[in-house]
Amino acid sequence: MYLCEKFKLYAMAQISNEISRTFNEYLLIPGLTTKQCTPDKINLQTPLVKFAKNGRPAIVLNTPFVSAIMQSVSDSGMAIALARNGGVSFIFGSQSIESQAEMVRKVKKFKAGFVVSDANLTPEHTLKDVLALKEKTGFSTIAVTHDGSSNGKLLGLVTSRDYRPGKDNEHTTVKEFMTPFSKLITGKYGISLDEANDIIWNNKINCLPIIGDNQTMKYFVFRKDYDNHKNNPNELLDSQKRLIVGAGINTRDYEERIPKLVDAGVDVLCIDSSDGFSEWQKDCIEFVRKTYGDTVKIGAGNIVDAEGFNYLADAGADFIKVGIGGGSICITREQKGIGRGQATSIIEVAQARDEYFKKHGVYIPICSDGGIVQDYHMVLALAMGADFLMMGRYFARFDESPTKKLLIGGSYVKEYWGEGSNRARNWQRYDMGGNSTLKFEEGVDSYVPYAGKLKDNLEITLGKIKATMCSCGTLSIEELKNNAKITLVSSTSIIEGGAHDVIVKDSKNSQ
């Protein structure tokens, strides 16, 4: 009797009768494609962080993609590759503070065409050391400095042409076979990339060391990178012409982690959590605001409705991630029964964002995280209101992701695992307070088909997006949000949309 009386006012949970829908349940309806609406005129720029009405965001993406905060996706290599193509990587936080800060530092040191020397020895090292360093780093060009550091006094250079593995004595010191500084062609620190490339081509050399005062080593410029630099017009750079990089943080050690990441030069942070509607996230954002004001940018999430958005917006988030349980390796919905269809989530949160903007005069971008299966889903997410997309599986397939490429069943694949898997053991991402352990898995360990280089695949994907936007009669993401027409589809119309009622030829066997 007592229990019934005590709880009689709470007979049932709040129930939403709205169907939780996915991107696969929608299609875009064509709009008028004008003569001006061609792929080369499509503008894919989009804000990454919040800004006031009539103001400008501190960071604007040239490509509306960011890579997921995952061990199997976002390290310094992915961050460099994606920033060079207009997006941002959030380097995974499920590692030591020192190693994450070093990854951030590596990205910030990278300059388009100017490469920091990560393979260095002293004159007293031996050929055995050269071979070991080459095996470890993969670099065949080694700077010889007085102290073996990347910014020591340059004394010479060793390349694969200076020794014969298996024939030369491995105990021979580097100073005996290196090309000494007196015979090197070098460039002066401060030289432009065009000037450096002119020196390389005029002197028919493969590599140009860039030196500063007192002969200190600064950078390398390589002949092989020449075309790469010309082909990256969308590079995302800060005010000092350095690549922009993000980093994931958790709500446990942020007071120690954030200062180290800021010192390393991080441009934007993001709280990594499967459920962002939390007082823990509010505390973290308040720490950033109290310590750094608005100079440090921080995103929050994940949430799936207007209530969650408004909570994090009021807390001071610079952008808000939307999506719970929609990732290809995520099993949160299966394990906890928590989540919502990604399309429904984006539509509701986008409306909340627009209402917040009207009320407060501050536009807070939203990021769609999860639920992307086909490339056209990307356009749907943007049309439904997302400002940019966070993806894991998409980027995990590329050379630039940090995982192994394996040959399985005659096909090449790459490893891909969730942050909630036993392999990652990123318990902080699923932290609900209390003891610090991973109680159960919310992610799986898997493979994804290997796809090659990021740039090659990204060009195809962006080509599809631009073509779809042209069919919608829109020239920008903002126009797409305002003017696109979307329709629900039935299960039979989904079948109709693919190849049907024919015998598809096997492309491997067809002539």
Side-chain angles (χ1 to χ4, degrees):
M1 179 66 70
Y2 171 75
L3 288 176
C4 291
E5 290 177 354
K6 184 176 180 180
F7 293 107
K8 63 183 178 181
L9 297 179
Y10 305 95
M12 62 185 296
Q14 297 179 28
I15 297 177
S16 171
N17 290 319
E18 183 180 7
I19 296 174
S20 180
R21 298 191 182 279
T22 67
F23 295 133
N24 215 42
E25 297 176 79
Y26 292 91
L27 285 174
L28 291 149
I29 296 175
L32 175 64
T33 303
T34 65
K35 294 179 180 178
Q36 289 73 38
C37 197
T38 56
D40 60 300
K41 295 178 182 176
I42 297 291
N43 181 359
L44 293 178
Q45 287 191 322
T46 189
L48 177 67
V49 295
K50 69 182 178 183
F51 59 97
K53 187 176 182 179
N54 300 322
R56 179 173 172 80
I59 304 174
V60 176
L61 297 171
N62 293 325
T63 300
F65 295 164
V66 299
S67 65
I69 309 169
M70 300 174 68
Q71 295 174 7
S72 56
V73 178
S74 299
D75 66 350
S76 57
M78 177 61 71
I80 290 170
L82 187 50
R84 297 199 70 193
N85 286 279
V88 167
S89 281
F90 286 88
I91 292 175
F92 69 94
S94 51
Q95 60 178 314
S96 72
I97 296 173
E98 292 72 21
S99 61
Q100 187 185 24
E102 184 54 36
M103 285 188 183
V104 169
R105 197 171 288 111
K106 186 173 183 178
V107 179
K108 299 307 290 186
K109 284 182 178 179
F110 180 91
K111 291 185 70 175
F114 294 91
V115 182
V116 174
S117 178
D118 287 328
N120 311 282
L121 293 173
T122 69
E124 303 306 321
H125 279 95
T126 65
L127 176 57
K128 184 177 181 180
D129 296 317
V130 170
L131 297 174
L133 187 60
K134 182 179 179 181
E135 176 68 23
K136 178 182 178 181
T137 65
F139 302 134
S140 58
T141 300
I142 297 173
V144 183
T145 60
H146 79 287
D147 59 357
S149 71
S150 61
N151 56 3
K153 183 177 181 179
L154 183 63
L155 302 178
L157 208 63
V158 171
T159 70
S160 56
R161 294 174 301 187
D162 294 315
Y163 57 87
R164 296 179 299 171
K167 287 186 173 289
D168 293 345
N169 189 332
E170 289 191 349
H171 299 290
T172 305
T173 59
V174 168
K175 62 185 176 185
E176 296 180 64
F177 61 87
M178 71 180 188
T179 301
F181 181 81
S182 60
K183 294 185 178 180
L184 293 177
I185 296 172
T186 62
K188 189 68 175 175
Y189 180 60
I191 191 174
S192 71
L193 184 59
D194 285 341
E195 292 171 326
N197 280 315
D198 285 343
I199 294 174
I200 288 174
W201 287 91
N202 291 338
N203 290 277
K204 299 181 180 180
I205 55 178
N206 292 321
C207 156
L208 180 71
I210 306 298
I211 60 169
D213 296 334
N214 301 318
Q215 212 169 298
T216 53
M217 181 67 190
K218 292 293 185 181
Y219 301 108
F220 280 126
V221 177
F222 293 97
R223 173 190 286 262
K224 63 182 176 61
D225 290 336
Y226 176 73
D227 289 336
N228 289 338
H229 307 319
K230 290 181 64 178
N231 293 331
N232 288 285
N234 289 323
E235 277 187 331
L236 200 61
L237 306 174
D238 64 17
S239 60
Q240 300 178 50
K241 304 300 182 184
R242 302 175 301 177
L243 296 177
I244 287 178
V245 61
I249 59 173
N250 62 69
T251 55
R252 282 275 180 165
D253 66 6
Y254 59 85
E255 292 187 13
E256 296 77 35
R257 188 175 292 269
I258 291 176
K260 295 291 186 181
L261 294 172
V262 172
D263 288 344
V266 74
D267 297 282
V268 58
L269 303 168
C270 184
I271 306 172
D272 184 26
S273 174
S274 67
D275 178 7
F277 193 3
S278 146
E279 290 184 344
W280 306 111
Q281 293 220 359
K282 181 180 179 182
D283 290 345
C284 180
I285 297 169
E286 288 178 347
F287 167 79
V288 170
R289 295 292 171 248
K290 182 179 179 180
T291 309
Y292 302 101
D294 290 328
T295 60
V296 171
K297 307 302 180 184
I298 179 169
N302 289 21
I303 51 88
V304 293
D305 62 7
E307 189 179 1
F309 172 87
N310 287 321
Y311 181 83
L312 294 178
D314 290 340
D318 285 295
F319 67 85
I320 295 173
K321 285 205 296 161
V322 182
I324 294 178
S328 60
I329 42 71
C330 183
I331 55 173
T332 294
R333 297 180 194 174
E334 178 182 312
Q335 293 282 54
K336 294 168 62 177
I338 294 290
R340 198 180 196 188
Q342 190 67 7
T344 302
S345 299
I346 290 296
I347 291 169
E348 179 174 323
V349 175
Q351 290 172 345
R353 175 205 56 207
D354 294 344
E355 290 170 5
Y356 192 94
F357 178 61
K358 291 177 183 177
K359 182 177 179 180
H360 300 283
V362 176
Y363 187 91
I364 303 175
I366 61 172
C367 168
S368 178
D369 180 14
I372 300 292
V373 180
Q374 307 293 341
D375 284 355
Y376 80 88
H377 291 169
M378 301 175 189
V379 188
L380 276 169
L382 296 169
M384 289 173 177
D387 294 283
F388 57 96
L389 317 176
M390 176 173 279
M391 296 181 289
R393 181 192 61 84
Y394 179 84
F395 290 109
R397 304 172 301 145
F398 304 147
D399 286 324
E400 293 82 358
S401 74
T403 62
K404 296 177 182 177
K405 183 175 77 170
L406 305 171
L407 182 62
I408 297 179
S411 299
Y412 282 103
V413 297
K414 292 205 76 177
E415 295 179 302
Y416 180 47
W417 60 91
E419 289 296 291
S421 66
N422 271 323
R423 181 170 184 173
R425 300 205 64 78
N426 183 6
W427 62 265
Q428 295 96 333
R429 187 177 197 273
Y430 303 88
D431 185 21
M432 303 297 290
N435 296 331
S436 56
T437 57
L438 185 67
K439 301 297 192 302
F440 54 88
E441 289 186 280
E442 292 188 46
V444 299
D445 198 342
S446 65
Y447 302 110
V448 288
Y450 168 67
K453 294 186 178 299
L454 178 148
K455 186 176 181 62
D456 296 340
N457 287 274
L458 195 60
E459 286 179 352
I460 294 172
T461 296
L462 294 179
K464 291 181 183 179
I465 290 175
K466 291 178 178 180
T468 304
M469 289 175 66
C470 286
S471 292
C472 292
T474 59
L475 288 168
S476 68
I477 293 175
E478 184 177 2
E479 284 187 16
L480 182 70
K481 291 176 187 175
N482 292 328
N483 301 328
K485 296 178 290 184
I486 299 173
T487 182
L488 274 168
V489 296
S490 67
S491 58
T492 53
S493 66
I494 293 174
I495 296 172
E496 180 186 63
H500 60 90
D501 301 314
V502 295
I503 300 173
V504 179
K505 292 181 179 179
D506 184 346
S507 59
K508 293 182 180 180
N509 298 323
S510 61
Q511 297 298 317

